[in-house]
């Protein structure tokens, strides 16, 4: 199983970035992909997830209306479109494989996920 994040970078407040999570080594359609982030000195925060079997999605309140998660099952890739970025969005962003796309999983920061990637850094300047 491999999850590889990409697309992070430095952006000004109000700007946009699109993160990608390329998955391999498992049946993509059978799993949920979640995104969580962690900033230095802060707890990990689950921010969004998508169930690749039915397209169901969830978002944390902190990103709802600004971030959009989507999945290209043909490419085994999940995207996180991030708009209206704020300095407080600065963190390392990780994608994780999970069985559930639920509020409980997000509140736990996907800490019960069995695999996650190496992360991609997002820095939002003010």
């Amino acid at each position: 199983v491999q999850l590889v994040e990409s697309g992070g970078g430095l952006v000004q407040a109000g700007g946009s970035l699109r993160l990608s999570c390329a998955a391999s080594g498992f049946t993509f359609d059978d799993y949920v992909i979640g995104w969580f982030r962690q900033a230095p000195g802060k707890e990990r925060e689950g921010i969004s997830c998508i169930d690749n079997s039915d397209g169901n999605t969830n978002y944390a309140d902190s990103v709802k209306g600004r971030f959009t998660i989507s999945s290209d099952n043909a490419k085994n890739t999940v995207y996180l479109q991030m708009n209206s970025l704020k300095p407080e969005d600065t963190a390392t962003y990780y994608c994780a494989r999970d069985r559930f796309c639920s509020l409980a999983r997000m509140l736990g920061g996907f800490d019960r996920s069995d695999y996650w990637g190496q992360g991609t850094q997002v820095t939002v300047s003010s």
Side-chain angles (χ1 to χ4, degrees):
V1 174
Q2 192 172 21
L3 299 168
V4 179
E5 302 94 339
S6 62
L10 173 64
V11 65
Q12 288 188 333
S16 299
L17 284 174
R18 188 177 80 156
L19 305 185
S20 299
C21 173
S24 61
F26 62 97
T27 303
F28 187 75
D29 293 5
D30 289 348
Y31 286 88
V32 165
I33 297 294
W35 286 94
F36 67 93
R37 63 188 181 186
Q38 189 158 27
K42 294 188 177 180
E43 291 187 1
R44 63 198 285 172
E45 179 189 13
I47 56 173
S48 187
C49 57
I50 185 166
D51 188 331
N52 290 318
S53 68
D54 63 9
N56 181 51
T57 60
N58 258 314
Y59 297 91
D61 287 344
S62 60
V63 305
K64 200 173 292 182
R66 299 187 298 124
F67 291 10
T68 303
I69 192 169
S70 62
S71 182
D72 185 337
N73 289 32
K75 294 183 178 180
N76 286 4
T77 300
V78 169
Y79 303 99
L80 186 69
Q81 178 67 42
M82 307 188 298
N83 298 330
S84 302
L85 283 162
K86 305 175 182 180
E88 51 263 44
D89 293 318
T90 295
T92 302
Y93 284 69
Y94 301 85
C95 61
R97 189 183 81 162
D98 208 303
R99 284 292 193 182
F100 304 100
C101 182
S102 65
L103 199 55
R105 274 302 205 255
M106 284 202 301
L107 289 174
F110 294 101
D111 59 354
R112 295 189 176 187
S113 300
D114 54 359
Y115 291 95
W116 52 91
Q118 82 291 344
T120 186
Q121 177 66 38
V122 171
T123 303
V124 184
S125 64
S126 56

